[in-house]
Amino acid sequence: MANTLNPQAWIKDYDDYLYNYAMYRTKNSALSEDLVQDTFVSAYKAKDKFKGNASEKTWLVTILKNKIIDYYRKSSTKMQINISQLGDAADYFFDTTGEDGAENG
């Protein structure tokens, strides 16, 4: 028998579990709340695509897991900067002259 969805009970049944799952992986309460909310919204939008091969809880956790992965993927690309954007600070933090920086002496 295929599993069925009950969106009306998602918050009551899975909110705490999903929040704890997200908190363990993000260590950020506000972010975890946002990710869980996004999970419920995405799941509701995709409810017609649910095939019932997994339990409702497993399906929601998979969506949340993908939300967390997407968050880290996006944040990691935002953290990459070009040394030329640092201006004078680049000289302070990096050897931009091509020299090894070793003092003779």
Side-chain angles (χ1 to χ4, degrees), residues 28-76:
N28 182 317
S29 180
L31 175 59
S32 295
E33 289 174 5
D34 288 346
L35 289 168
V36 170
Q37 181 176 347
D38 289 348
T39 298
F40 287 138
V41 170
S42 293
Y44 188 78
K45 288 179 180 178
K47 69 183 185 309
D48 295 333
K49 297 177 185 175
F50 180 72
K51 296 178 183 174
N53 296 334
S55 71
E56 185 175 60
K57 181 178 179 181
T58 299
W59 186 64
L60 291 169
V61 169
T62 301
I63 294 170
L64 176 58
K65 190 183 306 184
N66 288 325
K67 296 284 181 192
I68 293 169
I69 290 168
D70 289 344
Y71 168 78
Y72 281 117
R73 185 177 295 132
K74 287 177 187 174
S75 65
S76 72

